[in-house]
Amino acid sequence: MKNSSDKKYSIEISQKEAEEIRNAIKAASLKVMDEYIERMKKSWPNRPEAMQYFYDIAKFFGTREREIQEAKEEGKKVIGYTCMLAPIELILAADAIPVRVSSGFYDPVKLGNRIVPVEVCPVVRSTIGVEMIGLSPYLKLSDALITPLTCDGMTKLSEILSDSKPVWTLYPPRLKDSEQSMFFWREELRTLKAKIEKLTRTKITAKKLKAAIEIMHKATRAFRRLQEIRKDAPVIMGRDAMLVNQTSMWDDIKRWTEKTEELCNELERRIREKVWACPPDTPRVMIAGSPAIWPDNWKLPNLVEEASPQGVIVADELCSGDRFLFDPVGVDEWTMDDMFKAVAERYLLPSTCPCFTSEDGNKDRVNWLTARIEERRVDGVIYHVFRGCMLYAMEYMRIKRVLDKINVPVYYLDTDYTREDVGQIKTRVEAFLEMLKSRVEF
């Protein structure tokens, strides 16, 4: 921890003030999480018993926090990351604990505003605020952070967070499809691997890396199995599936995989018995754009699935959702060199983040979206953008033109980290769903 005079950004906040604000926000956040989970249960009363595990692990200040704290006391290191470009296999291979630390809390944004302008992405401002008062157990418990520099906000967030703990930046090349880019990216990960080994005092051997890849292969199979189940009539509500996806970002990944397989078993039995979570003719919605991170960002999923008329989220295109564990590491030979190359390729080539470009204009993202729309029989897309999230905002017209050509309605919805616009958004979402419903019935 640096002395306050050595810090590059942080303004002074007394220990007493930080504690008072942290306790107030924590109490409010616990209330929000309890309320959102109860709303999910209420709107889907005949839910699978296996969902209860994910509701429990979704409560930030509980079981998982204690487990990680105990693991640290036994000598384990915790490595946080802000983006899905961070290679989880390398963290696991060093016997460390990976946790995603981007903040989905609304209230800390006001603290972040003390350091960066209000025009900056609210995910960044909230993460700064969370760090200032030690709100997030996962950020607080992290011994080091991996921060891919995917946008200007994430770049400066790295500098700000480095005032309080080691930050290892990754610079993904903006052009993916060239040998130079792939070479550069592999070298980035080699440097990162050395830093992880130094922190954990653990050599990442071929045996350890293979074991880590196999752990993540099992997680990806469970993840894809759940997505496969969502293709047809809705047997699980979308926000429940989104919660399952997101808990993988901080839960023990082996246990998460087992619990997801249990959930899938129960859901497949319900498919055979035709027990649906909502009427099969409910408008099928995809959410695309900025990452909706638990808990406060359940604002939009709640509105869609509690609306009148109701919609059901059958897919999302979020880096915190359906994309997170979708792609496995493709290994040809289990040599150290081949495995390392495969890990590097997995975290660059399939990524559809709008930070990338190409001669075709980030066509990978277009292809991913249109494939999921066809596969999940999506009736309409809500293109969700946080104010200040420039990359997703700038790609909207590119995506809209593509969706117009395939006759899929898309609605642009910009919002901020606030609860004050719920009424306004509700009106807009319900108007969009009414239009989708009329198309479904026609």
Side-chain angles (χ1 to χ4, degrees):
M1 180 74 72
K2 295 178 180 177
N3 295 325
S4 58
S5 59
D6 296 330
K7 292 184 177 180
K8 298 181 288 294
Y9 283 88
S10 297
I11 62 172
E12 288 300 320
I13 179 168
S14 70
Q15 188 173 351
K16 183 182 178 186
E17 182 187 9
E19 186 174 340
E20 288 175 353
I21 297 174
R22 179 174 64 249
N23 290 340
I25 294 181
K26 182 177 177 180
S29 298
L30 284 168
K31 188 176 178 183
V32 166
M33 285 187 274
D34 287 341
E35 178 195 330
Y36 283 2
I37 288 171
E38 286 307 309
R39 285 168 66 174
M40 291 161 73
K41 289 180 177 179
K42 185 178 178 182
S43 65
W44 186 25
N46 183 27
R47 63 192 47 252
E49 292 181 6
M51 272 305 303
Q52 186 58 47
Y53 170 78
F54 299 98
Y55 298 144
D56 292 339
I57 213 72
K59 294 182 179 179
F60 269 51
F61 313 103
T63 303
R64 189 55 182 152
E65 179 185 9
R66 288 193 297 274
E67 288 178 346
I68 295 177
Q69 181 64 56
E70 290 169 4
K72 277 179 69 79
E73 289 169 0
E74 294 171 0
K76 275 210 171 193
K77 298 295 183 183
V78 179
I79 299 179
Y81 59 95
T82 57
C83 160
M84 65 176 287
L85 293 178
I88 295 172
E89 286 81 356
L90 295 185
I91 301 173
L92 293 175
D95 200 26
I97 300 172
V99 286
R100 190 163 175 172
V101 298
S102 303
S103 173
F105 294 105
Y106 283 175
D107 294 327
V109 162
K110 294 175 182 175
L111 292 164
N113 294 346
R114 299 187 188 183
I115 295 182
V116 296
V118 296
E119 291 82 6
V120 172
C121 167
V123 178
V124 171
R125 286 184 285 137
S126 176
T127 305
I128 293 170
V130 161
E131 172 57 23
M132 289 171 67
I133 58 172
L135 177 67
S136 165
Y138 307 129
L139 182 54
K140 186 177 179 181
L141 292 169
S142 294
D143 296 289
L145 301 173
I146 300 173
T147 58
L149 310 182
T150 50
C151 65
D152 291 346
M154 284 296 174
T155 301
K156 292 303 161 187
L157 175 65
S158 303
E159 291 183 16
I160 294 167
L161 294 179
S162 71
D163 274 337
S164 56
K165 57 187 64 191
V167 171
W168 304 330
T169 56
L170 286 176
Y171 184 56
R174 294 295 184 264
L175 296 166
K176 297 187 294 183
D177 50 358
S178 75
E179 184 52 38
Q180 296 96 319
S181 295
M182 202 62 241
F183 175 80
F184 176 81
W185 180 243
R186 282 197 295 268
E187 291 307 303
E188 286 276 286
L189 294 198
R190 282 189 211 288
T191 302
L192 176 67
K193 173 175 169 286
K195 291 176 178 175
I196 293 174
E197 289 176 329
K198 184 177 180 182
L199 174 75
T200 59
R201 298 181 181 180
T202 302
K203 179 73 174 174
I204 298 177
T205 62
K207 183 179 179 182
K208 286 178 175 291
L209 185 55
K210 182 184 180 193
I213 291 172
E214 288 175 339
I215 289 170
M216 294 309 295
H217 276 174
K218 289 180 182 177
T220 293
R221 278 196 290 273
F223 184 87
R224 284 194 167 204
R225 185 182 174 195
L226 178 61
Q227 311 318 319
E228 182 77 18
I229 284 170
R230 299 170 69 193
K231 284 182 179 178
D232 296 315
V235 70
I236 181 171
M237 295 305 292
R239 55 184 165 168
D240 290 78
M242 292 172 71
L243 193 67
V244 174
N245 291 345
Q246 291 212 6
T247 51
S248 67
M249 299 191 300
W250 60 83
D251 194 10
D252 176 279
I253 198 66
K254 287 184 180 177
R255 183 176 59 197
W256 179 90
T257 301
E258 292 171 4
K259 294 298 180 181
T260 302
E261 295 283 10
E262 288 176 16
L263 174 64
C264 289
N265 291 341
E266 203 167 345
L267 292 174
E268 287 174 349
R269 185 167 63 249
R270 286 172 174 237
I271 290 173
R272 291 192 294 274
E273 295 169 353
K274 297 185 178 180
V275 177
W276 311 126
C278 63
D281 61 350
T282 302
R284 300 167 67 86
V285 176
M286 168 188 271
I287 296 179
S290 304
I293 302 170
W294 173 262
D296 281 309
N297 285 305
W298 249 232
K299 175 174 65 178
L300 177 57
N302 282 343
L303 287 174
V304 171
E305 299 202 332
E306 293 176 8
S308 179
Q310 183 186 34
V312 58
I313 301 164
V314 295
D316 69 66
E317 182 251 353
L318 311 180
C319 64
S320 58
D322 285 6
R323 285 168 43 208
F324 184 59
L325 291 177
F326 188 81
D327 298 292
V329 173
V331 180
D332 294 325
E333 298 178 10
W334 293 97
T335 63
M336 187 65 188
D337 188 53
D338 194 70
M339 285 189 288
F340 187 82
K341 287 180 179 176
V343 169
E345 289 176 0
R346 185 266 181 233
Y347 283 91
L348 181 68
L349 300 182
S351 178
T352 59
C353 177
C355 72
F356 296 112
T357 188
S358 68
E359 291 183 0
D360 297 319
N362 204 5
K363 197 169 184 178
D364 287 351
R365 186 176 178 216
V366 171
N367 291 339
W368 200 97
L369 272 165
T370 52
R372 296 292 90 70
I373 287 170
E374 180 180 3
E375 172 189 283
R376 309 280 179 90
R377 296 183 288 113
V378 169
D379 295 312
V381 175
I382 296 178
Y383 196 99
H384 164 248
V385 175
F386 293 128
R387 296 186 187 113
C389 184
M390 297 306 295
L391 290 174
Y392 276 110
M394 291 181 73
E395 274 202 355
Y396 170 66
M397 286 308 297
R398 163 79 163 132
I399 301 302
K400 184 178 186 306
R401 283 172 63 86
V402 171
L403 299 188
D404 285 348
K405 286 180 182 176
I406 60 174
N407 195 29
V408 173
V410 55
Y411 186 76
Y412 184 90
L413 183 69
D414 61 332
T415 180
D416 207 337
Y417 265 35
T418 176
R419 303 178 189 95
E420 295 173 359
D421 60 358
V422 169
Q424 182 193 41
I425 292 177
K426 181 174 186 287
T427 302
R428 296 162 67 186
V429 166
E430 289 189 339
F432 183 64
L433 291 172
E434 187 67 54
M435 183 272 292
L436 293 184
K437 188 172 189 296
S438 65
R439 285 168 60 101
V440 170
E441 292 174 347
F442 184 77

